[in-house]
Amino acid sequence: MLIIDTDACIGCGLCEDNCPFDAIHVEEGKAVVGDECTLCGACIDHCEVDALTIDKEEVAGIDLDAWSGVWVYAEYRNGRIAPVTHELLGVGTDLAKKRGVKLAAVLLCESAGDVPAELIASGADIVYTVEDPALKDFTDDAYGHALEDLALKYKPEIILAGATAIGRSFIPMVATTLGTGLTADCTSLEIGDDGHLHQTRPAFGGNIMATIMCPNHRPQMSTVRPMVMQANESDASRTGEVISETIAPERLISRCRVVKSVYTESNQVNITEADVVVSGGRGLETAEGFRLVEELADLLGGAVGATRAAVDADWIGYPHQVGQTGKTVASKLYVACGISGAIQHVIGMKSSETIVAINRDEKATIFDIADYGVVGDLFEILPAVIEKLKK
Amino acid sequence: MNIVVCIKQVPDAKDVRLDPETNTLSREGVKSVINPYDRHAMEEGVRLKEEFGGKVTVVSMGPPQARAILEEAISCGADDAILVSDRAFAGADTLATTYTLSQAIKKIGAVDLVICGKQATDGDTAQVGPGLAVRLDMAYVTCVQQVSTVTDKVVVLERMMDDGYDEVEVELPALLTVVKEVNTPRFPSIRGLRKARVADIPSYTAEDIGADVAMLGLGGSPTQVVKVFPPEPKGDRTILTGSVDEIAEKLAEIFRESSIGG
Ligand SMILES: Cc1cc2nc3c(=O)[nH]c(=O)nc-3n(C[C@H](O)[C@H](O)[C@H](O)COP(=O)(O)OP(=O)(O)OC[C@H]3O[C@@H](n4cnc5c(N)ncnc54)[C@H](O)[C@@H]3O)c2cc1C
Ligand SMILES: Nc1ncnc2c1ncn2[C@@H]1O[C@H](COP(=O)(O)O)[C@@H](O)[C@H]1O
């Protein structure tokens, strides 16, 4: 409940101006809160006379000290460690150091092979492996139960997973059964002076950033956006412990059966993992025109992205669509060719490091978020750049 | 088949933005709409009902004005709608939301299939579907891009993955979250609009759903938003000028640097 101290309130309206939900209004010189309030706290930060508070009953805290250690879920599918796993071990190294605890990776698979060694080289001090034929295919309940059982046995204070199709699917199950908080799609993680994990993530399609904490429950759980955290340099001389675990067979029985997995070729360069993404929009005019984008992507060793307009026109497949209803990319270099910069597209690419936009309309909103802009005809510019790069 | 579809009212994504000068959210003309993914969830519910028989109930937890999207759902083919609304629900994170929704759905009775959108565009968490399935003790599959067969025991479907897709057979009762590829939502029909106008949409309070107050709203939410702030503004942008050749030269240089660099 948002409490308004009407004696302190001076009716300045700062809360009203700063409410993302239009939930607080000044009426007759005093702030009044409506049903739209989500208790996000934005108003409290802006109130200069401390007239606003959120009344939260303190929950009888669990014994936080019983939970210790930082865990990373090591995503492994189709014989491949998801790159985000290494990034998680990178940020996990910092978090574990700050907390003075060990960093562990959890590997769920049919057979582990050399994977534990790779995880140790990437920064893990411990690797917990569960090898079971029931884990050959990904199913939420089998994977969820396995991670839950391990978490209850070892009680880690933090569990991180990639914000991938798999991570975002089964990690919420684990958080729910453990009765703890989970923050989705984080872009920054830090240990605060209070010792808690401060998780920062975009909300409202990236128009707002929010820092979220889970102060009274353990473990603190986050899924983390790929391509944001820095992986450690792989070091084959690092040593670590590999602990093989067994999960009770009935816990690995799934109510889902994977009939078959189809790995689509066009996804071989997964745009969410690419360092360079060259994207094309309606400005390419035809499927033929779109080949310019593909050629440039090839030369830069990058992946091809597209707006919904280009996908709808069948110039390229849906797996390449970037945006609200497509994929989110955070590449080192994003080249937007003939793209107007509709918010639904921008949501999916604005966190890229360097954004280059080519558009003949100088008013195109894509220029608002670009680092480098070229106002011009892409049918002149792209062939010229391609020519230069070939040299 | 008894189908429940969960829908949420969200601010229209393109309208929510920060005023770059004052760093506050400008709300001018911010409309509330049905979460775009939930339109596909609704359509899938109605489509499956039409093909296999049964009934579709839409459920939304939100403030009283969320009634608008429930009416819209009825105009698009849903049979019943329930609003779950109480001040006690305010400030709920996904854990408290799944508890509240599960209590409301349990009140509906035996449900075979629950359909949610993949994620809501306000928070983009994609956590409510899986969490709700756990609370309802149902099997679940996320990011469903196609539902091919439904029998009285199983559903056969395709689940979108990062590197392709999986064909999955899931036992009923089950919960699915859907992506937009799953179908093309229909527009309201005249008959539907008429039905929506007179629809009786009950509003359940915390007491109605027999909820444990400690698990609701802010108090039932382990996560807390401690800070809200604007994203770091982009550095200055450079517009490249000159002849096509000069521009191409500069671009080639930028490309080489930023793609090889880090
Ligand atoms: C619910 C919803 C979800 C959506 N989700 C997505 C999404 O996930 N991803 C997405 O991309 N879109 C999405 N959209 C669509 C989005 O709103 C835009 O319509 C789309 O992004 C526009 O694509 P575009 O930039 O290619 O086309 P346009 O907006 O038509 O822009 C083309 C641009 O090319 C420029 N141009 C033309 N010719 C040339 C030339 N010769 N040289 C240089 N420049 C040229 C023009 O100046 C123009 O700016 C969504 C829309 C809705 C309603
Ligand atoms: N308050 C709510 N009422 C009804 N359904 C909801 C609510 N919040 C989330 N959902 C459902 O859960 C899905 C995922 O939401 P989220 O986890 O918030 O991204 C949405 O697409 C809805 O189907």
Side-chain angles (χ1 to χ4, degrees):
Chain A
M1 197 70 131
L2 182 71
I3 313 271
I4 300 167
D5 179 348
T6 46
D7 291 335
C9 179
I10 53 171
C12 67
L14 274 176
C15 51
E16 180 167 345
D17 292 344
N18 288 291
C19 175
F21 304 98
D22 197 15
I24 189 161
H25 295 278
V26 176
E27 286 169 20
E28 294 172 16
K30 300 287 171 197
V32 178
V33 63
D35 283 340
E36 298 85 354
C37 176
T38 68
L39 302 174
C40 76
C43 54
I44 298 179
D45 295 341
H46 286 92
C47 180
E48 289 176 354
V49 293
D50 295 332
L52 305 170
T53 42
I54 285 180
D55 170 33
K56 183 175 169 148
E57 277 170 48
E58 276 304 311
V59 268
I62 60 153
D63 180 11
L64 300 185
D65 294 337
W67 298 75
S68 159
V70 175
W71 278 19
V72 164
Y73 166 65
E75 182 172 328
Y76 180 69
R77 172 174 158 90
N78 194 21
R80 170 173 181 268
I81 302 176
V84 69
T85 304
H86 299 290
E87 298 159 22
L88 294 173
L89 289 169
V91 66
T93 302
D94 298 340
L95 300 176
K97 201 196 269 162
K98 189 97 194 269
R99 290 289 301 153
V101 296
K102 287 198 167 153
L103 175 64
V106 178
L107 177 66
L108 310 174
C109 58
E110 187 179 22
S111 127
D114 296 336
V115 176
E118 274 186 65
L119 297 171
I120 290 167
S122 242
D125 301 313
I126 305 170
V127 180
Y128 298 104
T129 58
V130 180
E131 293 170 285
D132 195 304
L135 296 169
K136 176 173 174 288
D137 295 311
F138 168 74
T139 57
D140 291 278
D141 36 11
Y143 274 58
H145 286 146
L147 185 56
E148 180 196 343
D149 289 359
L150 292 180
L152 285 173
K153 178 168 173 189
Y154 290 101
K155 295 194 169 22
E157 62 197 89
I158 292 173
I159 302 180
L160 310 177
T164 58
I166 288 179
R168 293 191 74 173
S169 192
F170 90 103
I171 297 295
M173 166 182 174
V174 179
T176 307
T177 49
L178 295 175
T180 190
L182 169 62
T183 306
D185 210 19
C186 297
T187 54
S188 154
L189 296 173
E190 275 164 27
I191 302 289
D193 296 335
D194 49 16
H196 296 300
L197 182 64
H198 292 222
Q199 313 162 85
T200 299
R201 67 179 302 260
F204 289 103
N207 290 315
I208 310 179
M209 303 300 291
T211 302
I212 294 168
M213 274 169 58
C214 177
N216 302 316
H217 296 73
R218 288 295 179 268
Q220 306 164 90
M221 297 180 68
S222 337
T223 60
V224 180
R225 186 176 286 188
M227 302 292 293
V228 177
M229 305 297 174
Q230 191 68 46
N232 298 325
E233 197 83 44
S234 175
D235 174 2
S237 67
R238 278 192 94 251
T239 52
E241 199 181 347
V242 180
I243 300 177
S244 171
E245 290 285 335
T246 315
I247 301 292
E250 68 274 12
R251 296 281 286 162
L252 297 181
I253 299 171
S254 175
R255 289 176 283 186
C256 300
R257 188 170 69 84
V258 177
V259 182
K260 66 169 185 233
S261 292
V262 179
Y263 304 101
T264 47
E265 215 171 319
S266 61
N267 263 349
Q268 266 175 354
V269 184
N270 184 347
I271 59 172
T272 58
E273 292 169 3
D275 282 337
V276 178
V277 176
V278 183
S279 272
R282 185 144 36 206
L284 274 308
E285 286 177 11
T286 57
E288 192 60 24
F290 204 84
R291 300 285 109 37
L292 283 173
V293 167
E294 295 173 346
E295 198 178 348
L296 180 58
D298 248 7
L299 283 170
L300 297 175
V304 178
T307 64
R308 175 153 150 193
V311 171
D312 285 351
D314 269 342
W315 299 341
I316 189 150
Y318 172 74
H320 295 266
Q321 183 171 318
V322 174
Q324 184 186 323
T325 43
K327 292 188 172 148
T328 303
V329 304
S331 48
K332 292 207 170 66
L333 173 65
Y334 191 92
V335 188
C337 309
I339 292 176
S340 59
I343 180 76
Q344 294 92 346
H345 183 75
V346 167
I347 282 172
M349 46 65 77
K350 70 196 264 184
S351 39
S352 296
E353 222 162 275
T354 303
I355 297 172
V356 178
I358 307 172
N359 194 308
R360 67 177 170 201
D361 174 8
E362 59 173 326
K363 294 208 186 65
T365 47
I366 191 77
F367 289 127
D368 295 350
I369 56 150
D371 299 283
Y372 297 98
V374 176
V375 181
D377 186 346
L378 54 86
F379 294 108
E380 288 176 5
I381 308 219
L382 286 183
V385 181
I386 288 169
E387 213 40 52
K388 301 255 182 222
L389 288 170
K390 276 186 181 160
K391 281 195 193 135
Chain B
M1 196 162 51
N2 207 355
I3 303 172
V4 168
V5 178
C6 296
I7 65 176
K8 185 177 190 190
Q9 192 176 42
V10 296
D12 200 347
K14 66 176 183 296
D15 291 338
V16 186
R17 68 188 63 147
L18 281 161
D19 182 326
E21 272 167 20
T22 59
N23 265 340
T24 58
L25 283 155
S26 62
R27 297 184 301 259
E28 229 163 282
V30 180
K31 286 194 304 271
S32 287
V33 295
I34 298 185
N35 174 36
Y37 289 95
D38 298 352
R39 287 191 177 280
H40 297 277
M42 254 159 55
E43 175 63 30
E44 200 56 19
V46 173
R47 188 183 79 77
L48 292 175
K49 174 192 88 164
E50 286 168 353
E51 201 171 325
F52 302 101
K55 185 175 148 183
V56 175
T57 308
V58 280
V59 176
S60 186
M61 170 185 126
Q65 56 268 36
R67 183 175 293 268
I69 61 165
L70 292 169
E71 284 171 8
E72 201 175 330
I74 289 181
S75 73
C76 293
D79 299 287
D80 279 326
I82 296 168
L83 178 66
V84 187
S85 190
D86 196 313
R87 281 300 283 271
F89 303 150
D93 71 359
T94 55
L95 194 73
T97 299
T98 58
Y99 173 70
T100 309
L101 286 173
S102 70
Q103 287 296 112
I105 292 171
K106 281 176 190 160
K107 201 176 144 95
I108 295 172
V111 172
D112 304 294
L113 193 61
V114 178
I115 310 179
C116 292
K118 174 197 169 200
Q119 64 194 54
T121 56
D122 52 358
D124 284 335
T125 82
Q127 286 168 191
V128 167
L132 182 57
V134 169
R135 299 215 186 252
L136 294 170
D137 191 21
M138 287 183 178
Y140 73 93
V141 181
T142 59
C143 296
V144 173
Q145 60 177 14
Q146 192 186 75
V147 179
S148 20
T149 325
V150 181
T151 69
D152 52 0
K153 290 212 173 54
V154 294
V155 182
V156 182
L157 48 81
E158 283 177 17
R159 164 179 71 196
M160 192 182 281
M161 303 295 285
D162 291 327
D163 53 6
Y165 66 90
D166 281 356
E167 194 180 306
V168 179
E169 191 182 278
V170 50
E171 288 170 24
L172 288 173
L175 181 144
L176 315 179
T177 79
V178 299
V179 292
K180 82 169 224 292
E181 286 61 42
V182 75
N183 57 39
T184 310
R186 71 191 69 189
F187 291 102
S189 65
I190 303 281
R191 216 181 111 229
L193 286 169
R194 213 176 297 137
K195 206 177 144 206
R197 217 172 299 134
V198 297
D200 172 30
I201 299 178
S203 180
Y204 291 175
T205 62
E207 200 184 328
D208 293 335
I209 58 173
D212 172 355
V213 185
M215 294 180 72
L216 298 174
L218 191 69
S221 298
T223 61
Q224 290 175 12
V225 178
V226 290
K227 198 163 109 194
V228 188
F229 58 100
E232 258 172 53
K234 271 260 162 196
D236 282 341
R237 130 200 102 174
T238 314
I239 297 286
L240 308 179
T241 51
S243 68
V244 167
D245 189 65
E246 284 162 359
I247 290 176
E249 188 60 53
K250 281 184 212 158
L251 276 180
E253 203 176 300
I254 294 166
F255 290 169
R256 285 199 194 99
E257 262 173 30
S258 27
S259 57
I260 303 160

